[in-house]
């Protein structure tokens, strides 16, 4: 699906506070794969789509003054609907989804916009990693621009009953909860749930 496809939409950025950083791990897919496009629900050469609830995630990347950042690199990765990452080090016994891409990488357009089609990820217990508690459903983001440092953060889902147990989200002051995505709207073109996640980067001196 091309970057100019219907999953893009207009958006307005109001926040000027830099997006809070979060941990990268534990399962960043640090390797190249054949299909890294913006549609994580369908792998090139596959006839079947990924299982799970298909969602659209859109947003803009801006600086703290609200200026859109063109050609910013947006790299996302996530667990499948069962809370399982397509990573050899994930010890979860949950099944892999052979039709889920798991990661997508695109650049923002002239207005700083990006868009992905994916599935809502599953939560997962931390017991398989030797810890107590749960990770709430989340999507990992790594965003960079030629005039900024790389930001690694995560997007969460409002209304998730596990949010209060997620220790990574608890590290973010409540006044900085841009990471908590509002309840989804509906994309009128596709009828799919539409979620919004804007990213604000701090510019470095050039």
């Amino acid at each position: 699906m091309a970057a100019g496809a219907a999953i893009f939409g207009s958006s307005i950025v109001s926040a000027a506070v830099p997006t809070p950083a979060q941990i990268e791990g534990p399962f960043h897919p640090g390797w190249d794969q054949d299909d890294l496009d913006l549609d994580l629900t369908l792998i090139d050469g596959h006839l079947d789509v990924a299982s799970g609830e298909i969602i659209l995630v859109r947003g803009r990347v801006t600086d703290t003054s609200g200026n859109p950042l063109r050609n910013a690199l947006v790299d996302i990765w996530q667990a499948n609907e069962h809370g399982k990452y397509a990573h050899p080090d994930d010890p979860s016994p949950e099944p892999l989804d052979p039709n889920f891409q798991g990661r997508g990488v695109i650049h923002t357009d002239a207005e700083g916009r990006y868009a992905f089609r994916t599935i809502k990820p599953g939560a997962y217990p931390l017991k398989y990693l030797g810890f107590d508690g749960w990770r709430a459903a989340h999507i990992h983001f790594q965003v960079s621009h030629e005039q900024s440092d790389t930001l690694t953060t995560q997007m969460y889902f409002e209304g998730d009953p596990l949010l209060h147990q997620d220790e990574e989200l608890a590290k973010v002051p409540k006044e900085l909860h841009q990471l908590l995505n509002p309840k989804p709207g509906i994309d009128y073109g596709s009828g799919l749930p539409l979620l919004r996640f804007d990213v604000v980067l701090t510019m470095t001196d050039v």
Side-chain angles (χ1 to χ4, degrees):
M1 186 178 295
I7 66 170
F8 271 115
S10 61
S11 56
I12 299 173
V13 171
S14 58
V17 177
T19 300
Q22 292 220 287
I23 60 170
E24 178 181 285
F27 301 120
H28 179 268
W31 57 79
D32 290 331
Q33 60 190 60
D34 292 337
D35 193 350
L36 285 171
D37 70 1
L38 55 80
D39 188 352
L40 280 68
T41 70
L42 184 63
I43 298 176
D44 285 348
H46 288 220
L47 297 178
D48 296 325
V49 300
S51 61
E53 179 187 3
I54 297 177
I55 61 173
L56 303 179
V57 180
R58 294 180 187 151
R60 292 181 77 200
V61 180
T62 69
D63 62 19
T64 53
S65 297
N67 300 309
L69 295 179
R70 179 177 185 172
N71 206 39
L73 181 68
V74 182
D75 181 351
I76 72 166
W77 66 99
Q78 64 174 88
N80 64 23
E81 70 162 338
H82 305 291
K84 174 78 171 182
Y85 289 86
H87 192 289
D89 293 335
D90 186 351
S92 169
E94 295 296 334
L96 288 169
D97 181 351
N99 298 307
F100 181 50
Q101 188 173 299
R103 182 187 180 195
V105 179
I106 61 171
H107 288 84
T108 56
D109 68 8
E111 297 183 23
R113 299 178 301 181
Y114 76 87
F116 288 98
R117 178 187 178 103
T118 186
I119 58 101
K120 186 174 181 180
Y124 54 88
L126 292 171
K127 63 182 180 181
Y128 302 118
L129 299 173
F131 302 100
D132 295 327
W134 283 73
R135 288 302 323 270
H138 59 280
I139 298 176
H140 298 264
F141 279 73
Q142 199 166 77
V143 185
S144 60
H145 185 266
E146 61 183 0
Q147 294 178 273
S148 78
D149 293 328
T150 298
L151 170 72
T152 301
T153 191
Q154 298 175 32
M155 184 195 91
Y156 300 83
F157 297 81
E158 184 175 314
D160 187 331
L162 294 173
L163 288 174
H164 71 285
Q165 296 187 36
D166 195 297
E167 294 186 0
E168 294 304 322
L169 181 59
K171 295 175 183 177
V172 180
K174 290 184 178 179
E175 64 269 21
L176 296 180
H177 267 190
Q178 303 105 307
L179 306 185
L180 191 58
N181 200 293
K183 292 182 180 179
I186 297 295
D187 175 64
Y188 293 106
S190 65
L192 293 172
L194 173 61
L195 296 103
R196 176 67 178 274
F197 190 66
D198 294 325
V199 176
V200 180
L201 298 180
T202 301
M203 296 293 97
T204 57
D205 293 332
V206 295

